[in-house]
Amino acid sequence: NQSTAMSTPSSIPPVPDWPRLLRPGMRLHLSSGAACPVALMESFLGVAARIGHLELVQGLTLPPAPWLNPRHAGYLKVNAVYLDEELARMVNDGNADYTPVHYSDLPSLYRDRTLPVDVALIMVSPPDAYGYCSLGPSVEWTPAAIESARLVIAQINPRLPRTGGLSHIHLSRIHAAIEAEADTCAMRVPSDGQWRTVQKPITKKSSPTQARSAANAAAASQAEKPVPDTPVRSVSNKSAATPSGA
C-alpha cells in the first residue's frame, strides 16, 4: 500500500538543502521526458544563483521547463543531448551546450566517467511496501546516473505511474527528496496537428570534425525526433562531447 508506506515520516529522505549539497563545478543529470521532476527543479532554481557554475545534462524537454529561461544561463549551463527548437536556439545563442550522442551510448559514458555525473535529479513514485520507488515511464539512462552519481535527489510524485523491469530505486539510496504531486509532463501538439522539421543551415564556418558532429547529430535527431528540430550552427568543442556514429 503506497499511502501506508508514505505515512511514515522517517522513511522519507530530508528535503534538499541545496547550498549544502551542491557546489560550483558540479554536473547534474536531469531525468527527462514524462518523468522530469519539474517541482524539484523549481526548488533548485530558487537557490541555483547562489551556488553558480553548474552544468545540467538533459534529454528530451517537455513543458514546462523553467530552467531553460535564458536568465538562468549565467549560473546554470544546460548540456543538451537532444535538440528541440528551443534548445537549438539556446545553443546557437551561446546559452547552452550540445553533446551529439545516441541515448543508448549515455549509460556507458556515465559509468566510465567520460561524462561524469555528480548529482542525479529524478522523479519517482512513492515507495511500495518494501521501500522501492519506480522511475515511471521515462527510465532511459537514469539508472546509470543513479549508479554513478554521488548524490541522488528526487521528487516523490504520487501520480507517477509505476513501471516494471529495471526501473526501481530503493528509498535508502535517495539522499534528499521533496514530495510534490503533479501530472507527468506532456508534449504540446501543434495547433494544426502537424509535426514539422525546421532545418536551418550551419552558418558559422566550422572545422571538418565539427561539421561531421553536426551532421551526425542532425541524423540522430531525425531518427528519434517526436518534436521539431533545428541543427545547431556550431558544436561546442568539449572533451565530453563524443560524436555518435562517427
Side-chain angles (χ1 to χ4, degrees), residues 137-170:
S138 298
V139 179
E140 301 175 325
W141 61 97
T142 292
I146 292 171
E147 178 184 320
S148 56
R150 290 186 292 163
L151 294 173
V152 178
I153 305 176
Q155 174 183 339
I156 301 175
N157 181 4
R159 295 190 194 177
L160 188 71
R162 297 184 68 90
T163 53
L166 301 177
S167 60
H168 297 84
I169 177 175
H170 196 270

Side-chain angles (χ1 to χ4, degrees), residues 14-31 37-52 54-56 67 75-76 118-123 151-156 174-180:
V15 173
D17 182 352
W18 297 107
R20 184 180 66 82
L21 294 173
L22 306 184
R23 63 176 184 272
M26 280 186 163
R27 178 180 284 128
L28 287 59
H29 159 88
L30 177 64
S31 293
V38 176
L40 185 68
M41 285 300 296
E42 289 172 341
S43 169
F44 160 68
L45 289 175
V47 298
R50 292 164 50 192
I51 303 167
L54 297 167
E55 178 184 338
L56 186 72
W67 56 93
Y75 47 84
L76 180 65
D118 299 294
V119 182
L121 304 176
I122 66 175
M123 181 187 286
L151 294 173
V152 178
I153 305 176
Q155 174 183 339
I156 301 175
I174 299 175
H175 299 86
I178 66 168
E179 296 181 72

